[in-house]
Structures are given as C-alpha cells and as structure tokens.
Amino acid sequence: LQRGAQIFLAGGYDRSNPFYFGIYGGANCPGFLQSNPEAEAFFLNSGYRTNRTILILQRQLDVPLRVSDPRFGQLRNQYQMCMRSPRRLKDWWQECTVGVVEPLEFVLVDKAGAVKARALAWEMEGFSSRWGWPAVGVIDFEVEPACRRLGVGKYLLTAILKQLQDQYFQTVECQIDETNTCAIDFLSPLGFEQIDLGRVYAKDVPQ
C-alpha cells in the first residue's frame, strides 16, 4: 500500500500469480475455481467483485480426432512442427513459474526456420495423481499476427493433439478468458469442453 497500490486482487492469474502454478487450478492459474464455492461466497461477502473469469476446457485424448480442413495440405508443405525443450522462456516470471515444470515447446517453423506458431505443454503430474489419469496442460499458445485466420493455429494444435494421443496421456487441458470468443470458437470444434471455471476477485483499496 505504501507504494501506491489501488486494488486488492484475490486469486492468482498470469503475472499476478505469485507462487502456486502447478499446485492449484489445473493447466494454468485461473483464480479460484467455481467448484470451490466457499471461495466465491467468502470474497463477495467481503466486498470483492468478480474481476476476471477464466474458462477451463478439457479434451479426452482417447476420443478420435476428426479434423478436415482443405488448408492443411498446403500448410503441410509450408511448415514443419518441431518439439523441443526451450532454452529460455518468454520472460523472468515464466522462468520462475513455468520453468519449474520443465515444459516442452511445440513450434511451427517455415522453410526459412522462422517460428510462426508455438505452444508450451507440461505434464500435470500432481493433478494426474489426484485425478487418477495422466493429464497434460497446453499453455501460452501463440500464432504470429500475419499467420492468423489462415489455419496455422488449427494445424499446429491438431498436430499437438495427435502427438499427445500417441503418448500415454488421457486428458489435455487449456484455459482461456471468457471474453476471448475467438479462442472458444477455435477450441470447441476440436473437441474441447468446459469442465469448470475460475474467477479472480478485486477490491478497491480504501482511501
């Protein structure tokens, strides 16, 4: 407060998440889960308001992947998907949080070696032991702006899902902001379904 903070946040999300990536919330940090109703009641009664809502989507990998897109033939000739351990992550915060779980990076590169789309995937071991089946989280999915709406992101995610289906994983999870309708429309046809949601709460600092 001495440094001028004007708002209290409850529920870790993205850069406001200090420490519990991989411990609570699933593939990423979505604030407090709706499946934990005591949290919502507590914060609303304490004068907090909902600041952000994150949808938690999962796909069962034992369900066959049926994707038909006429653009894929051309994309297959233009790009190659590579899987690697990233030498460095996006920034210091990601190094300190995501780096702990040693994610794999899936990248789509063109013939010149330029990365056009990428995503991180990590084995959700702590959650897998609680859920009773192996799960993997896909986070930080990005497509270069010039390559969007050309099928590049769909091609990469389809390739990632096929790669994961060849492994022993049973469930893949993604998390998206509820206002990101493009991401919802992108994931739904690939078999992702909402299984929960998380909320971040905010409260103004008393003046």
Side-chain angles (χ1 to χ4, degrees):
L1 297 179
Q2 293 177 346
R3 296 186 178 183
Q6 298 181 356
I7 191 171
F8 292 116
L9 289 177
Y13 174 74
D14 195 38
R15 298 309 192 263
S16 64
N17 163 43
F19 57 83
Y20 65 77
F21 179 87
I23 300 174
Y24 174 87
N28 214 328
C29 294
F32 289 97
L33 298 176
Q34 186 182 51
S35 53
N36 180 18
E38 295 85 359
E40 180 173 34
F42 173 79
F43 287 110
L44 293 181
N45 290 334
S46 299
Y48 284 77
R49 63 184 181 276
T50 299
N51 176 261
R52 186 185 295 268
T53 300
I54 308 300
L55 306 182
I56 301 172
L57 308 177
Q58 290 186 352
R59 187 192 194 281
Q60 301 308 309
L61 292 170
D62 56 355
V63 177
L65 181 63
R66 296 185 176 91
V67 180
S68 178
D69 193 314
R71 299 172 294 183
F72 280 11
Q74 181 179 357
L75 293 173
R76 195 174 295 112
N77 293 327
Q78 290 180 286
Y79 303 106
Q80 178 183 5
M81 189 188 79
C82 303
M83 181 176 64
R84 64 194 185 189
S85 296
R87 287 183 295 177
R88 63 173 60 91
L89 296 173
K90 184 181 296 183
D91 52 30
W92 68 269
W93 178 88
Q94 203 170 67
E95 291 282 0
C96 294
T97 52
V98 181
V100 176
V101 299
E102 300 181 348
L104 285 176
E105 184 178 40
F106 291 88
V107 295
L108 206 61
V109 298
D110 63 14
K111 294 185 181 300
V115 175
K116 298 301 181 181
R118 61 180 293 277
L120 295 176
W122 66 284
E123 185 174 356
M124 300 165 59
E125 291 183 276
F127 299 98
S128 298
S129 61
R130 279 179 264 168
W131 296 343
W133 59 82
V136 60
V138 174
I139 61 174
D140 209 27
F141 192 97
E142 295 181 334
V143 179
E144 287 292 306
C147 297
R148 293 173 185 171
R149 301 190 180 279
L150 299 176
V152 173
K154 184 178 180 182
Y155 180 71
L156 174 60
L157 185 54
T158 300
I160 293 174
L161 293 175
K162 289 181 178 179
Q163 180 77 20
L164 295 175
Q165 284 183 323
D166 291 338
Q167 308 301 318
Y168 62 92
F169 298 109
Q170 184 173 330
T171 300
V172 59
E173 181 176 297
C174 297
Q175 298 184 8
I176 55 176
D177 193 295
E178 70 166 356
T179 62
N180 192 346
T181 56
C182 290
I184 297 171
D185 294 340
F186 172 64
L187 292 171
S188 296
L190 294 174
F192 283 85
E193 298 179 344
Q194 182 182 337
I195 57 96
D196 205 343
L197 60 80
R199 289 194 174 96
V200 179
Y201 300 95
K203 181 180 181 179
D204 294 330
V205 173
Q207 299 300 318

